[in-house]
Amino acid sequence: MRAQLLARATLPSLWSLDRIPGAAAWLAHGVDGSLVVLDDSLAAVREIRLPGDWKGGHSVTPDLARFVASTPDRVVVLDADGTEAWSHPHVPWQAEEAGSSAVTAAGIWAVVRTAEGDRCVLLDAADGAPRVIRPVAPATIGSELIPHPDGVHLGLAASHADDAYRIFVLASAGSEEVAEVPPGESRVLTDIHASGLMMLTTPIEAGPLSLVRFPDGAVIAARPSEQVFPDPDEVFDIYAGFLRRDLVLAASSGERHVLFSVPDLRAVAEIEYPEDAPREWLVVRSDGIWLTADAESGTVCAWTLESVG
């Protein structure tokens, strides 16, 4: 199936590229410390410089009015012009460790280090006051927070010193439990379905692309790489997302991008790109638009599925 190019842009070399939950926009983090909000034409609509000691994952509010930056020893909220609004200090991350953040209707969630261990904290968006504190164990090295559509729950994808990747589910109200879903599985949470009923996971190095039930992690469907890719050495990459309610778009280690049906994860079609299209990174949004990018050159392309007929 052919991809239709919507826009192309060249940015500074990229550290990360993400969708912005609740907004028709994208967040590009340059290795030079720039944090840029892009619209679907890939034009910059907001841009700030991160604090010089930035470290970890960053986020932006759905109205694009404030940025949330992670540093070694604090979470910092910046206004649209880069002015610091408030910060939340925490025990410093060490070496390669780093925190992350996400914005929800309940406030700003962040993964931080404390004297008692790692915590996922919900901070008041106005002044940074802690509203909810949830323990996360074992200690994390890196993490990503994915808001649930209900505005209450949150998915946490975390990496750990034992080389394992774990998935946790927590909530801002009700249960105080931080549940590992399912325990012992080394895989990455990449997206939560718009219905809130399913989560999408990708494997580390080898394993299936999976749809699992929210919140208990029961497997709905799993698609092994050998059923999809002709080369036995080609496996699923970590990049995948819900392109529509009925479609998943996932990447392989060979930079193939393949559509799968929901909920059975049947391979539907491989995406056909122009020869010069970047394919190293894949970022998927559930309204039918996705980005591909090359980190070093900073080349970013926005795509949708080509209309048939």
Side-chain angles (χ1 to χ4, degrees):
M1 189 173 292
R2 290 182 180 175
Q4 179 181 332
L5 182 65
L6 299 176
R8 186 182 181 105
T10 301
L11 305 173
S13 295
L14 293 166
W15 180 268
S16 65
L17 184 65
D18 297 292
R19 56 185 179 254
I20 300 175
W26 312 88
L27 187 61
H29 176 191
V31 297
D32 62 355
S34 60
L35 205 57
V36 183
V37 175
L38 306 168
D39 63 16
D40 285 344
S41 69
L42 298 184
V45 295
R46 294 278 192 282
E47 182 173 358
I48 64 164
R49 304 294 301 183
L50 286 167
D53 59 345
W54 63 264
K55 186 179 187 181
H58 316 291
S59 55
V60 64
T61 56
D63 62 2
L64 312 181
R66 282 186 162 181
F67 295 84
V68 185
S70 298
T71 77
D73 59 0
R74 67 197 192 285
V75 178
V76 184
V77 169
L78 306 165
D79 290 332
D81 62 0
T83 303
E84 182 174 323
W86 54 261
S87 67
H88 175 79
H90 58 76
V91 172
W93 297 106
Q94 301 298 314
E96 299 301 316
E97 299 170 344
S100 61
S101 65
V103 181
T104 70
I108 295 171
W109 284 98
V111 178
V112 302
R113 175 70 46 84
T114 73
E116 294 76 30
D118 289 0
R119 298 290 185 266
C120 195
V121 298
L122 177 63
L123 305 171
D124 189 286
D127 59 12
R131 300 302 184 195
V132 172
I133 301 175
R134 303 286 190 243
V136 178
T140 63
I141 293 177
S143 60
E144 182 179 3
L145 294 163
I146 300 179
H148 189 278
D150 67 6
V152 175
H153 290 87
L154 194 72
L156 168 60
S159 59
H160 306 271
D162 59 1
D163 293 329
Y165 288 73
R166 294 179 174 89
I167 298 168
F168 302 91
V169 170
L170 56 153
S172 59
S175 173
E176 296 184 2
E177 180 185 12
V178 178
E180 186 181 343
V181 186
E185 294 284 350
S186 188
R187 55 189 178 184
V188 177
L189 174 65
T190 62
D191 206 356
I192 300 176
H193 194 264
S195 68
L197 301 177
M198 294 177 283
M199 299 179 286
L200 180 65
T201 72
T202 53
I204 296 298
E205 295 182 353
L209 178 74
S210 299
L211 279 179
V212 301
R213 190 171 62 196
F214 182 90
D216 63 4
V219 176
I220 298 170
R223 186 63 55 189
S225 57
E226 58 266 26
Q227 294 182 2
V228 181
F229 308 119
D231 186 340
D233 294 327
E234 190 169 10
V235 296
F236 285 106
D237 207 334
I238 60 172
Y239 305 111
F242 291 105
L243 186 64
R244 299 188 320 219
R245 282 179 172 265
D246 62 342
L247 283 178
V248 161
L249 181 57
S252 80
S253 59
E255 297 188 351
R256 298 176 193 265
H257 298 163
V258 180
L259 292 167
F260 296 86
S261 58
V262 174
D264 58 0
L265 290 182
R266 175 179 54 86
V268 174
E270 183 177 339
I271 299 296
E272 299 176 25
Y273 293 106
E275 287 188 7
D276 64 344
R279 306 179 200 188
E280 179 188 7
W281 287 357
L282 171 70
V283 187
V284 184
R285 203 173 68 204
S286 61
D287 60 357
I289 298 175
W290 76 94
L291 301 184
T292 61
D294 177 78
E296 184 174 354
S297 69
T299 302
V300 180
C301 290
W303 309 90
T304 191
L305 295 176
E306 185 176 78
S307 299
V308 178

